[in-house]
Amino acid sequence: MEGIFLPPPALADCVRSALLTGVPGGAYVLPAALHPLLLVILEGGIAVRRAGVEHPLPLLSVCGGTRGVREARAEPGTRILTVPLLPGGLRALFGVPGRAVMEEAVDPAVLLDVAGRGALARFVDSRRPAAACGSAVSRVWELLCDIRRDTDSGSALCVPPVLLALPADELAECFGVGLRQFERRFLDSYGQPLRSYRQQVRCSRMLAALSGGNPAEGWAAVAAREGYADQAHLCRDVRRFTGHTPRELQAGIARLDPAFWPYHIDPATLARHFGPSGF
């Protein structure tokens, strides 16, 4: 049952898809995340390390976007379901803007009203053994339909990736709003300012090149093609957003190191799951 699952029509404006996958046991480094997402732990467990202390994640977490890496550890046999949220999806489902959970992994119970917490409790109580994981995706869709607020996600700002390189004032003009209003709506919808989001998008797109081994033209040429000032600039961004140098990342991918499992997922699957912006 591992793979990608599209949402029902009632959720198509809030979430992109669901990806069911296994996570090797042991320590690993999570890359920076452009998108807020829902993380459902179907089997096993995951703990995130903060200030040297491991904090176990609940069965279901609302994870905000992050501008840096996170250290984590998974129990052997862990299986997860990830559901990236579209711009405005957090507000439509939980009534909060993207910036409210940036850098955080939140128990959804703190974001829900009484009815929503009841639906969440029923979802948790219905957790089934490994043999019945095939129903996990449909149960997650049912939960999200049950907790969805009346908020209209259509009011969210959604910038086509091909326009991201435009100056902010030109983007504001494209959407028919002033610059300050555009910046506020972008922060509300995406969870971080336009400038930092652009930096992360550029690095996320770089990961596709890394997964294919050493680029034929060399890293200096790649840096120039992708808009970096130089190769050192590229290396700083890769380390910042993945926790590794480009060579370390390539080596881990090439030897199928379990600690690099996020990069072992098929690139086409990742592109379908997260969209053209990457992780």
Side-chain angles (χ1 to χ4, degrees):
M1 286 299 296
E2 293 193 1
I4 284 185
F5 303 84
L6 296 178
L11 296 172
D13 62 334
C14 299
V15 304
R16 184 174 295 279
S17 62
L19 176 63
L20 184 61
T21 188
V23 180
Y28 58 95
V29 177
L30 282 168
L34 274 168
H35 314 274
L37 57 79
L38 304 180
L39 171 65
V40 185
I41 301 175
L42 302 175
E43 299 173 56
I46 295 175
V48 175
R49 180 179 291 273
R50 294 192 295 269
V53 179
E54 290 191 348
H55 300 268
L57 294 178
L59 170 65
L60 192 153
S61 300
V62 179
C63 302
T66 59
R67 283 167 283 193
V69 299
R70 294 290 183 272
E71 295 181 1
R73 180 180 297 276
E75 298 175 5
T78 294
R79 299 182 77 216
I80 61 173
L81 191 69
T82 55
V83 183
L85 303 182
L86 295 170
L90 269 172
R91 187 176 290 281
L93 293 172
F94 298 98
V96 298
R99 66 178 184 277
V101 295
M102 189 71 184
E103 312 288 353
E104 302 291 341
V106 180
D107 187 330
V110 305
L111 304 175
L112 296 172
D113 56 17
V114 173
R117 289 195 293 272
L120 177 63
R122 292 191 294 274
F123 173 81
V124 172
D125 290 343
S126 71
R127 187 179 184 184
R128 301 174 185 178
C133 276
S135 65
V137 177
S138 61
R139 289 188 291 120
V140 169
W141 295 150
E142 290 172 6
L143 170 66
L144 296 184
C145 287
D146 286 344
I147 67 173
R148 178 162 186 170
R149 307 291 183 94
D150 292 332
T151 305
D152 179 15
S153 66
S155 62
L157 191 68
C158 187
V159 181
V162 295
L163 299 182
L164 276 174
L166 291 177
D169 56 348
E170 291 186 24
L171 282 172
E173 186 176 351
C174 288
F175 285 89
V177 297
L179 178 58
R180 288 181 180 270
Q181 184 181 358
F182 173 82
E183 291 173 339
R184 286 195 299 270
R185 288 180 61 188
F186 190 93
L187 179 62
D188 184 90
S189 301
Y190 286 81
Q192 61 176 306
L194 175 63
R195 182 174 181 272
S196 62
Y197 186 82
R198 282 171 166 162
Q199 293 172 341
Q200 218 164 318
V201 165
R202 179 172 56 186
C203 187
S204 291
R205 290 172 177 167
M206 282 289 304
L207 296 180
L210 289 170
S211 66
N214 277 313
E217 70 269 49
W219 287 112
V222 172
R225 173 164 51 80
E226 297 295 335
Y228 287 96
D230 51 31
Q231 185 174 342
H233 184 195
L234 178 152
C235 291
R236 285 195 300 272
D237 263 19
V238 172
R239 180 182 285 278
R240 172 186 174 190
F241 293 124
T242 72
H244 307 283
T245 67
R247 292 188 183 279
E248 289 170 345
L249 196 54
Q250 286 177 306
I253 295 170
R255 65 175 181 266
L256 298 179
D257 187 332
F260 290 76
W261 70 265
Y263 309 99
H264 296 160
I265 300 172
D266 175 63
T269 298
L270 284 177
R272 288 182 59 204
H273 188 47
F274 290 110
S277 298
F279 280 103

